[in-house]
Amino acid sequence: GAVVSQHPSRVICKSGTSVKIECRSLDFQATTMFWYRQFPKKSLMLMATSNEGSKATYEQGVEKDKFLINHASLTLSTLTVTSAHPEDSSFYICSARAGTGTGEQFFGPGTRLTVL
Amino acid sequence: GDSVTQMEGPVTLSEEAFLTINCTYTATGYPSLFWYVQYPGEGLQLLLKATKADDKGSNKGFEATYRKETTSFHLEKGSVQVSDSAVYFCALTINQGGKLIFGQGTELSVKP
């Protein structure tokens, strides 16, 4: 199947700093990428949907100014957690979909963010 | 709103035991249903899916049948292996390939 990578796999930062997480589709062009957040023992919660070349669509309750998403190319989307605080500590997972509508989502391995 | 509920884990089984992980859903439309598996240290992988009522999805010995009357999509395997140890997520989407709504995940541990 298609491969999606995330970088970094793990990051620790100080409160107040910003952290950028990259999501790349390695062997296909991703028209759409999704960003999820996963809490311990909880399900994945969709944060936002990004389409290449346009603004991301955020889910209700997700602060767009805090979680900046950029989908500048068909193989790369970035999530920037701005002014991170300890409550932002979580596991962030991206997925990518080729084409439109009926395509399967392929998931990255996730990024563990710890904010001290 | 649309939601997915899975049985809580962890589930611990001996090798060759029968596995059932329950999943029920609530949806306003006609969802497509999925099971994803997450092996330790890896991303989620699609295990199987069903797009309409009475469809049976199957893969790697796992099966799940889309039951509209009971709004369920229980995952089963007749004989589990140690290599099946992972976290299993039930999910739905109203628009195929669109927004996925996940259950909370069920951790499976298979002992030799």
Side-chain angles (χ1 to χ4, degrees), chain B residues 35-110:
Chain B
W35 276 101
Y36 284 84
V37 58
Q38 186 178 30
Y39 297 103
E42 298 183 16
L44 275 73
Q45 302 173 26
L46 179 62
L47 181 59
L48 53 84
K49 66 180 182 182
T51 59
K52 61 183 188 295
D54 300 326
D55 269 2
K56 177 186 284 187
S58 61
N59 185 26
K60 299 181 181 180
F62 291 89
E63 292 183 340
T65 302
Y66 188 143
R67 301 287 189 198
K68 186 179 177 183
E69 63 276 13
T70 54
T71 62
S72 64
F73 193 54
H74 304 322
L75 182 69
E76 297 182 335
K77 186 174 185 182
S79 176
V80 293
Q81 306 300 312
V82 173
S83 57
D84 294 326
S85 299
V87 181
Y88 292 82
F89 291 90
C90 186
L92 68 81
T93 182
I94 295 297
N95 300 311
Q96 181 138 354
K99 174 181 173 179
L100 282 166
I101 296 172
F102 287 90
Q104 73 268 39
T106 302
E107 182 180 0
L108 170 66
S109 178
V110 181

Side-chain angles (χ1 to χ4, degrees), chain A residues 60-113:
Chain A
Q60 192 173 9
V62 178
E63 299 176 60
K64 61 180 67 176
D65 293 331
K66 179 162 189 63
F67 298 99
L68 301 179
I69 292 171
N70 184 279
H71 192 165
S73 77
L74 286 172
T75 59
L76 173 64
S77 176
T78 60
L79 167 67
T80 301
V81 183
T82 63
S83 186
H85 288 91
E87 58 266 30
D88 299 324
S89 298
S90 192
F91 196 56
Y92 293 89
I93 300 174
C94 74
S95 70
R97 184 181 72 201
T100 60
T102 59
E104 178 182 342
Q105 290 184 36
F106 298 95
F107 286 80
T111 297
R112 171 74 60 193
L113 170 64

Side-chain angles (χ1 to χ4, degrees), chain A residues 16-49:
Chain A
T17 61
S18 294
V19 174
K20 180 184 285 188
I21 302 169
E22 293 185 348
C23 177
R24 294 182 184 273
S25 56
L26 298 185
D27 51 4
F28 69 101
Q29 293 186 324
T31 306
T32 306
M33 287 185 169
F34 303 84
W35 285 96
Y36 296 85
R37 184 171 176 176
Q38 184 179 26
F39 294 94
K41 307 296 184 184
K42 300 288 186 181
S43 67
L44 282 72
M45 295 182 62
L46 180 65
M47 299 174 65
T49 303

